[in-house]
Amino acid sequence: MAAAVSFYDEARPTDGNQIYSDPLFHAFRGASYDHVGRTEEGLSDARTSWEILSGARVVDPNYPPPTNDEYRSLVLMVILPILKAANDPAFEPGFAAYKSIPANDTDALMKRASLLEKVGDFAGALAASEQVLKQLPDDPAVQNNHCYTLVRAGRASEGLPYCEKAVASLPEIAPIRHSYASALAQLGRCDEAERQMAEARRLDPAGTLYRQALTCGAAAN
């Protein structure tokens, strides 16, 4: 993400105001800025992405955004967590648009579970994640996402085994270390949690999520 930000910055005009007609571009740029703590810029791109995707803003009538479900789902998956975190009015219509898109295969269900967790719908996220687990029980990305959703739902003891399997398979992935740290913290295993969070920061020093202090013990629930 930090590397992406440097390229996005180089590509921007000096006034920083150029609007492109591709919602996916604005979605990814916004996510990159948000990841490194440039929250306002990230939110601006997320809003622009939704405005173009929804038809509220027409940048170039010769290049309208694609209308297929896969494209729209991908854009919305990226921007909705940013809009939700900012309590932005665009979140509700964007989320309604996302929920109207069917999730009929494993990949779509995996993405839906991840998105629902990020916006706080833990029951929906777990329902989707459990379907994916039945099909891909040994996939470390699936294990990690299921673990973190359980942690976010206050069920860290159920999530911990999935985190342990995920980190054993992919120890060099910062989000997996962060999920593991979060599970350990919620269970009161504070020293272990701090060590895992330190690894997440080492692996992705630009990520603001990994610089946040852990709340350890019963208060983490």
Side-chain angles (χ1 to χ4, degrees), residues 93-107:
F95 193 37
Y98 179 80
K99 289 187 290 185
S100 73
I101 300 171
N104 296 322
D105 58 39
T106 303
D107 184 61

Side-chain angles (χ1 to χ4, degrees), residues 202-220:
R202 181 186 68 81
L203 291 164
D204 184 2
T208 57
L209 178 64
Y210 313 132
R211 298 200 294 270
Q212 296 176 12
L214 283 171
T215 302
C216 192

Side-chain angles (χ1 to χ4, degrees), residues 8 25 46 51 56-57 88 92 96 102 111-113 136 146 181 184 205:
Y8 282 129
F25 169 84
E51 288 170 3
R57 181 193 296 221
D88 193 273
E92 290 298 338
K111 290 174 179 174
R112 178 148 299 188
L136 299 171
H146 195 64
L184 292 167

Side-chain angles (χ1 to χ4, degrees), residues 12-17:
R12 294 183 79 159
T14 54
D15 63 9
N17 292 322

Side-chain angles (χ1 to χ4, degrees), residues 74-144:
L74 179 57
V75 171
L76 291 165
M77 258 195 64
V78 177
I79 66 173
L80 284 172
I82 301 172
L83 297 172
K84 173 72 172 179
N87 292 315
D88 193 273
F91 173 76
E92 290 298 338
F95 193 37
Y98 179 80
K99 289 187 290 185
S100 73
I101 300 171
N104 296 322
D105 58 39
T106 303
D107 184 61
L109 281 168
M110 187 186 307
K111 290 174 179 174
R112 178 148 299 188
S114 177
L115 185 276
L116 292 177
E117 175 272 309
K118 289 175 182 174
V119 301
D121 181 357
F122 305 134
L126 286 169
S129 184
E130 285 163 2
Q131 291 184 63
V132 178
L133 267 174
K134 290 177 183 177
Q135 300 175 60
L136 299 171
D138 299 318
D139 187 304
V142 175
Q143 292 166 342
N144 172 70

